[in-house]
Amino acid sequence: MKLWITTIIAAATFAVTSTPQASQLDLNNDLAYQLVESLTVEVGPRLAGSEADARAVAWAEQKFKQLGFDKVWSEPFTMQYWERGNASLRVEAPFNQALVLTALGGSVGTPFDGITSQVIMFDNLQQLQQADPASVKGKIVFINQTLRKDIRGGFYGQVVGARAQGAVEAAKQGAKAIIIRSVGTSNNRFAHTGIMRYQDDVTRIPAAAISVPDAQQLSKILAINPEARLSLHMQNNLPGEVTSHNVIAEITGSKRPDEIVLISAHIDSWDEGTGALDDGAGVGIVMATAALLKKEQPERTIRVVLFGNEEGGLIGARAYAARHAANLNNHVFASESDFGAGRVWRFDTGFGEQALAFGAQVQQQLKHLGIEAGTNTASGGPDVSVLKAQGVPVATLQQDGTDYFDYHHTPNDTLDKIDPAALQQNLQAWLIMTRAIANSQVDLRK
Amino acid sequence: MKLWITTIIAAATFAVTSTPQASQLDLNNDLAYQLVESLTVEVGPRLAGSEADARAVAWAEQKFKQLGFDKVWSEPFTMQYWERGNASLRVEAPFNQALVLTALGGSVGTPFDGITSQVIMFDNLQQLQQADPASVKGKIVFINQTLRKDIRGGFYGQVVGARAQGAVEAAKQGAKAIIIRSVGTSNNRFAHTGIMRYQDDVTRIPAAAISVPDAQQLSKILAINPEARLSLHMQNNLPGEVTSHNVIAEITGSKRPDEIVLISAHIDSWDEGTGALDDGAGVGIVMATAALLKKEQPERTIRVVLFGNEEGGLIGARAYAARHAANLNNHVFASESDFGAGRVWRFDTGFGEQALAFGAQVQQQLKHLGIEAGTNTASGGPDVSVLKAQGVPVATLQQDGTDYFDYHHTPNDTLDKIDPAALQQNLQAWLIMTRAIANSQVDLRK
Ligand SMILES: [Zn+2]
Ligand SMILES: [Zn+2]
Ligand SMILES: [Zn+2]
Ligand SMILES: [Zn+2]
């Protein structure tokens, strides 16, 4: 499938550069899809710090070179490695049955013989925090909070606290372990993983998630028999420090090569799916965007950064910000694609006041793709938020995330969940936005 | 929720009995749902021959008694027990990654160190049968056949042969193991289990299924690297003969107690889901049907049979037919509900010629539920087909099975997949059909 998008792109060029060129960009229509397919099939799951992560880094370097980028390199950083082991959860007699469980990223395991205990259920993290410690002591805490769907994934922030902080709060109350209802919106029987945190002065207890149907099942079992006991077995490896990498590639700017327009995604994924939506799609979109713009010789440098270990807590992004601290002033813009492969529906900026008129021009060029004007409070994306905190101007091409948390962080995040047409709409939006900024002289900080 | 379905039921009574009674049946609207909920929550998965199967039998006996059935008993039969162990499948270098796999029921395991081998892919069982044995010898066979959706599940029969017979055919050609694309219609990443067969004179090789996305992944990997190797590990237990049970309960006929109207489902389920659609729904429907008709004192005896070990190959049904061989002439009718919880859309019979007019009357009474007239070639359901082969008249209330193979035989067959309204429509249809037959004097054999 090839398309001439000359008319689309020409409009963008005309509006925002002082020297519009009649562009004849031959858009290879499925390059973004080809890239995410190649990454998910040939590398597959790529947990940060694993052997597969190293293969993903090598894959990215090789693809950037094949695509004709001017510079390609990787930047090492150190990180704490965590590896999933076996995990199982059973309800004991009289309703003896297995529940579908997955360890949360970073969790310690149980003793080899497991943890067998009564359960105490809470509706949310706040309720756990306010509980009488006597009622929690020695038990397995179960937080049964439902994530609601919406286009922005706006409820995720309210619910994910139980995943990130639950183990600390449960341990403070004397619990032996914590299980949470998956922070997901599907009733498919997959448990959602994701990073969790310990605190130095609080006992480290095992933390895991059960699928939505299993959370419903457990709450029904507890309604019939509040004394029901669970038996949890989990073995995880925390071998310590390893090295991972951010992968970086540039199309050197033809007029203002020192000015860096940074577009990004993250190369790592959770280990159970192939990371097609999170974040293979983003990898495909931003690699294809820069590769396709190369022919036009953009005025500013387009730098693609594939951050490592986003999932572990923006570890690659923090390393990038530290390493490039002296040069962040030359980062004229940054953005990340990391919300799946749904269509872009809104353009949000994080620009200085004077640059808002330019932002409005860009949105006008995106309008035919069904993209609305948004706010000036964009984060730029998870990794890019670290750069925003250092003053780098950002924008977010907001994707429709209605179904994102159906798949996110589960074994079910696989290539078949990507709609190629929606991915292509993303690519078009990124081409328009990136081109406009790369060919502009506007200072987005101001 | 309670409904008066007097008007519906009264029409049925009037049309087919010589002594119509003004029925005041207080239909407890959600009894079928309550029953399937109770079975799936309090027992959960109930693999034939397992400890959970015994609990399911006890559950059923107790429920029948609570519901006021006149007679409740169980009939033992012996069966070969098979139990799932750990199973894993990995693609080896350079695309090292895990695929989602499940053992097929009855399969032997691999050696402890697994089987590592190249793969040979076939489109279907016939292609495997026609292959050059030299190309298959020593390899893992992969049958990558797609199951298409339709309301009757009509393509299942064409595809399931690879599951049932694949191991024998692959072993004949010298393969070390066989994996098949799941006989399922969903792109959710669940592998579908189900029974497979060996043949006495053919080597027993391990047999397993991978999910639909994993089958797509493997075929993409093989397209890039036909030499790719798989590493299969599987441990299953085949401990030998155990006892399981059919559970039977009756509402004694008020006028012709020796004439048995048999309605049925199967009590066993595969071990990974909670068997809500297969066949908890059927259990709920037929138990509720008979329980609700008790108040009306049906003329013939309504016998509910919850067959054991349907999944292992109609083992309970064969035991039932053998034990009741001398009395099958008194079985005036038999039917089974075993196709999930979708709405009934067609009424098929397996009646004698003279009884077809009666069948048409019954269909007229079902019409307001959206149920069409069907054929006279009904099997009556999997277990009941064994009785049909012995001359017992049957009918099938055909359910909409469009989504059945999305969930069937996977971990995802759980209560939340049942639409209570559709289940209720099933119950209404079963009430009308069963009442009509139980109050009739028509000989359905003629
Ligand atoms: Zn992400
Ligand atoms: Zn993520
Ligand atoms: Zn069944
Ligand atoms: Zn079945």
Side-chain angles (χ1 to χ4, degrees), chain A residues 238-283:
Chain A
L238 293 95
E241 208 165 73
V242 299
T243 299
S244 182
H245 293 83
N246 296 319
V247 188
I248 305 174
E250 285 184 355
I251 306 296
T252 307
S254 58
K255 297 201 175 157
R256 296 180 294 287
D258 292 342
E259 297 180 12
I260 297 168
V261 175
L262 186 151
I263 62 177
S264 64
H266 65 85
I267 189 72
D268 68 313
S269 79
W270 282 105
D271 53 330
E272 297 195 294
T274 62
L277 294 171
D278 185 16
D279 185 26
V283 168

Side-chain angles (χ1 to χ4, degrees), chain B residues 84-151:
Chain B
R84 184 181 311 281
N86 291 326
S88 68
L89 183 69
R90 290 195 73 87
V91 182
E92 294 223 322
F95 301 151
N96 186 5
Q97 58 189 277
L99 302 179
V100 171
L101 174 93
T102 194
L104 296 182
S107 174
V108 298
T110 62
F112 186 79
D113 289 339
I115 291 171
T116 300
S117 164
Q118 278 188 28
V119 189
I120 180 163
M121 186 171 85
F122 296 104
D123 294 339
N124 52 49
L125 188 66
Q126 295 67 41
Q127 207 182 65
L128 165 63
Q129 288 166 323
Q130 290 155 16
D132 174 7
S135 68
V136 178
K137 195 170 163 54
K139 292 186 183 153
I140 295 174
V141 162
F142 167 38
I143 299 187
N144 188 22
Q145 189 173 9
T146 301
L147 178 61
R148 282 161 54 202
K149 279 197 179 208
D150 81 322
I151 193 170

Side-chain angles (χ1 to χ4, degrees), chain A residues 266 278-279 310-311 338 404 409:
Chain A
H266 65 85
D278 185 16
D279 185 26
E310 187 274 344
E311 298 293 2
D338 181 24
Y404 184 58
H409 293 196

